[in-house]
Amino acid sequence: MKEINLRELYPNMYKTDTYVEVSDDVLEVIKVHARAEAVRERKMYRYKAYYSLDRDDGIGHDDLYRPATPKEIILEQTIREKPYAAVMELPEKQAKRLYAHFYFSMSKAEIARQEGVAENAVQSINRGLKHLADHMEEYR
């Protein structure tokens, strides 16, 4: 375990010294990122590309498309996990029908034929969608 200062890594977020212990794996990832950033800055200086957006070395891409922050990554994961959790709360038959309808683009008639039931018996897809909509209300 190694102790690092978060103010050095995130000077915009931490105004005072904040020390945390990190594992050797995390420390190695931080070092790899720091080396990659140093290489990028060296390229920008060497090729005087700090103002150019039309080069094919990725420098302009970094200026236009910044990497996601940890907060954005966690929010995106949460938004992805929420519908999955809602589907897992559905009865098994309803979840399978929703999956077949939306992931395999099967019509209700095809699902009914595959299960050997009448087409109006597959209306549980609508009830499943209503349950998902109720469950996802907080994201509207």
Side-chain angles (χ1 to χ4, degrees):
M1 298 292 274
K2 174 86 169 140
E3 204 171 76
I4 62 169
N5 186 356
L6 292 177
R7 191 180 83 173
E8 293 174 1
L9 294 174
Y10 307 105
N12 295 336
M13 292 177 61
Y14 293 92
K15 301 301 180 194
T16 61
D17 291 334
T18 305
Y19 294 95
V20 293
E21 284 190 10
V22 295
S23 66
D24 294 335
D25 295 337
V26 172
L27 183 64
E28 186 59 33
V29 169
I30 291 170
K31 287 180 179 179
V32 166
H33 175 70
R35 285 191 292 265
E37 183 66 19
V39 167
R40 186 183 77 80
E41 288 179 9
R42 210 169 27 253
K43 275 185 178 181
M44 285 175 55
Y45 177 77
R46 183 177 298 142
Y47 298 113
K48 297 178 181 28
Y50 39 80
Y51 57 85
S52 176
L53 297 177
D54 59 355
R55 293 187 56 86
D56 288 331
D57 57 3
I59 293 172
H61 183 272
D62 290 346
D63 291 336
L64 293 174
Y65 305 102
R66 64 174 178 71
T69 64
K71 182 179 178 181
E72 291 169 339
I73 292 170
I74 291 171
L75 182 62
E76 185 178 316
Q77 286 175 343
T78 304
I79 289 172
R80 256 187 278 125
E81 290 170 0
K82 202 72 165 157
Y84 179 77
V87 169
M88 290 296 109
E89 289 178 4
L90 294 172
E92 183 181 353
K93 198 176 273 191
Q94 232 177 26
K96 284 182 180 179
R97 288 174 178 170
L98 273 174
Y99 190 79
H101 186 64
F102 289 103
Y103 287 98
F104 296 127
S105 301
M106 293 175 68
S107 69
K108 292 177 184 177
E110 291 172 325
I111 295 170
R113 245 192 330 274
Q114 183 181 11
E115 292 181 1
V117 296
E119 187 174 338
N120 60 357
V122 186
Q123 295 305 317
S124 63
I125 291 175
N126 295 338
R127 287 191 302 275
L129 287 174
K130 182 173 178 358
H131 173 77
L132 291 177
D134 293 343
H135 199 56
M136 299 302 292
E137 189 71 22
E138 63 191 70
Y139 290 107
R140 289 185 184 172

